[in-house]
Amino acid sequence: MNILPAIDLKDSQAVRLFQGDFAQKTIVNATPLAQAREFAEGGMKYLHVVDLDGALEARAVHAPLIAKIKQENPRLFVEVGGGIRSMEQVEDYLNQGIDRIIIGSAALTNPEFVKQAVEKFGEKIAVGIDAKDEKVAISGWLEVAETDYITFAKEMVKLGVQTIIYTDISKDGTLAGPSVAHYEKLTSALPTTKIIASGGVSSVEDLRELMKTGVDGAIVGKAFYSGKIGLEEMREIQGGQSC
């Protein structure tokens, strides 16, 4: 299973939120470039970057900063989500060397966009599904739809999406443990799709439990920043097939 340390960007700083609440923000590193460099020098292979301001404003607010993160750390496989609403934004990120684009809210409101992006860029396109009480949430987690996460994931796979990044909002930033049952359902319903787990990871034991579900990767955020999981531990677990 691959490990993807996370950098969430707000006001050009690396932050962590509690259950997606922008009012409950903690700055974990005022210099995201330094944080990315730490992950790269620490032997990590992947980096998960979220433009939180972009998610709120429906545009790529931190695109220049994210491009610089990739430029300074070319060996990192960098995936980016947050505020991606058009093919132009997708193409701009890819032209800057970003390895994978995560389409979030727009996947629910504009599935044709996902279809076009996948047809043009294939596996470079992932869909991020964030759920609250198993229902899909959009617009920086401020709105909740009536669509359940399994149904929505199946719809995205029918469009050709090969990678799904699933977050249970109730777990995000809580260190309460991941929603293992949700990932068991996803990997069972979509056995040929790459599933990346996000939210709630608090320990190496949590990562080992996620490995048992068959997910291809796990995102680690607050557990790293709070010192519960170190770089060495993440390096020991990462490996296997690319996620």
Side-chain angles (χ1 to χ4, degrees):
M1 183 175 73
N2 291 287
I3 304 300
L4 299 87
I7 294 179
D8 291 355
L9 298 172
K10 185 158 186 14
D11 302 322
S12 299
Q13 298 173 315
V15 306
R16 296 304 302 165
L17 304 182
F18 180 81
Q19 295 183 335
D21 186 351
F22 284 81
Q24 299 190 61
K25 176 190 77 173
T26 301
I27 297 171
V28 294
N29 196 322
T31 310
L33 288 170
Q35 186 58 67
R37 187 163 55 250
E38 179 183 352
F39 288 136
E41 292 176 352
M44 303 310 298
K45 301 175 182 178
Y46 295 86
L47 181 63
H48 174 81
V49 181
V50 178
D51 184 347
L52 294 174
D53 291 311
L56 285 177
E57 298 183 29
R59 62 186 181 90
V61 174
H62 290 297
L65 174 56
I66 293 168
K68 194 167 184 181
I69 286 174
K70 176 62 179 180
Q71 179 184 355
E72 292 190 2
N73 303 280
R75 293 185 181 181
L76 281 177
F77 180 103
V78 179
E79 64 176 25
V80 175
I84 299 168
R85 302 288 194 273
S86 69
M87 287 293 286
E88 289 77 15
Q89 289 176 350
V90 171
E91 291 172 353
D92 181 61
Y93 272 131
L94 292 176
N95 288 337
Q96 294 292 336
I98 300 304
D99 299 281
R100 185 161 60 205
I101 308 301
I102 306 165
I103 300 176
S105 297
L108 182 68
T109 60
N110 186 10
E112 182 62 26
F113 169 39
V114 175
K115 182 180 178 182
Q116 292 175 359
V118 170
E119 286 177 349
K120 188 168 184 179
F121 299 113
E123 63 182 11
K124 291 181 179 292
I125 304 299
V127 165
I129 300 179
D130 304 329
K132 189 172 185 178
D133 299 324
E134 302 191 18
K135 301 295 184 181
V136 179
I138 61 174
S139 301
W141 300 350
L142 300 177
E143 300 177 33
V144 180
E146 289 300 314
T147 307
D148 74 86
Y149 74 101
I150 294 287
T151 298
F152 184 52
K154 289 180 177 179
E155 291 174 356
M156 293 298 101
V157 171
K158 286 181 181 178
L159 294 179
V161 173
Q162 299 177 41
T163 303
I164 298 288
I165 298 165
Y166 175 74
T167 305
D168 180 355
I169 295 172
S170 69
K171 297 288 189 175
D172 189 72
T174 65
L175 297 176
S179 297
V180 172
H182 290 196
Y183 297 108
E184 290 174 340
K185 291 178 183 178
L186 274 171
T187 55
S188 177
L190 302 168
T192 63
T193 304
K194 292 179 179 179
I195 306 296
I196 298 177
S198 173
V201 171
S202 65
S203 64
V204 172
E205 288 70 28
D206 285 341
L207 294 175
R208 293 188 176 125
E209 285 299 309
L210 284 171
M211 288 178 69
K212 295 176 184 177
T213 70
V215 298
D216 290 85
I219 294 168
V220 177
K222 190 172 183 177
F224 169 77
Y225 293 112
S226 62
K228 293 184 177 297
I229 300 178
L231 282 171
E232 183 176 351
E233 293 170 309
M234 290 194 288
R235 276 200 313 272
E236 288 175 356
I237 288 181
Q238 76 175 1
Q241 296 182 345
S242 298
C243 66

